[in-house]
Amino acid sequence: MKWALIIAAAPEEDIAYIQRVYQSLSQPLTLCADGGLQKARKLGLPCDLLIGDMDSGGLEETGEGTEQIRLPAEKDFTDTQSCLEEAVRRGCDAIVLTGASGGRLDHLLCNLHLLEALEIRGVRGYLADGRNLVQLLRNGPAAVPACYRYFSLLPIDETLEGVTIRGAKYPLENGTIRRADSLAVSNEALGGTVEIQVRRGRAFLIFSR
């Protein structure tokens, strides 16, 4: 599996988690979306590729070995999506997106839905910040990382059908979850491994501290 770490430019008070994510991956290709470069520099992390229109600080001294792709200010895709596309083009089949959940709500929602675009192409996508880890649900056992206490299942489609949750504080057997309610929010794993099955529908699986 070839990993990519993307560091986006959303404003964050705590960026130390990005370093922990980097250290947990196996020699990831590290891409910075414009001002994400400043976070990489503060953490002492490498930046293999800088992509953006350079309107949020990405045009600083990048250092040796940093490739750059300059984008126009007026474009059809965000700097973050351009990083995702380039990571896929370079053969990465698992991508962790960081620095993408602070600041503007429209950017956060867009970044979450970019995980769908990756899944369609057979690429595992994750969005991480200092308190949460988000992935698209893949049926089967879901191991809740030890550093997270809660998990939530949020429908993308209007309805999830045939939902079974076992090994959790609040189990569910062949249930229905609607996007307009909060039935599957803030559950807890009992022993570290939770079995989640969804017969029909797509959802975000969110682990939280």
Side-chain angles (χ1 to χ4, degrees), residues 31-103:
L31 303 90
C32 292
D34 203 341
L37 176 66
Q38 298 180 14
K39 299 178 184 180
R41 290 292 174 256
K42 287 180 181 179
L43 294 169
L45 297 179
C47 174
D48 300 310
L49 176 60
L50 171 65
I51 300 179
D53 53 24
M54 312 309 170
D55 67 350
S56 57
L59 201 56
E60 294 182 346
E61 181 68 29
T62 58
E64 294 184 11
T66 299
E67 182 183 352
Q68 295 185 37
I69 297 178
R70 182 91 181 242
L71 302 175
E74 296 182 359
K75 53 188 181 298
D76 293 333
F77 305 105
T78 63
D79 296 339
T80 300
Q81 182 172 0
S82 296
C83 284
L84 290 170
E85 293 292 332
E86 189 64 22
V88 173
R89 191 184 73 81
R90 297 186 183 211
C92 296
D93 51 11
I95 300 174
V96 181
L97 176 57
T98 65
S101 61

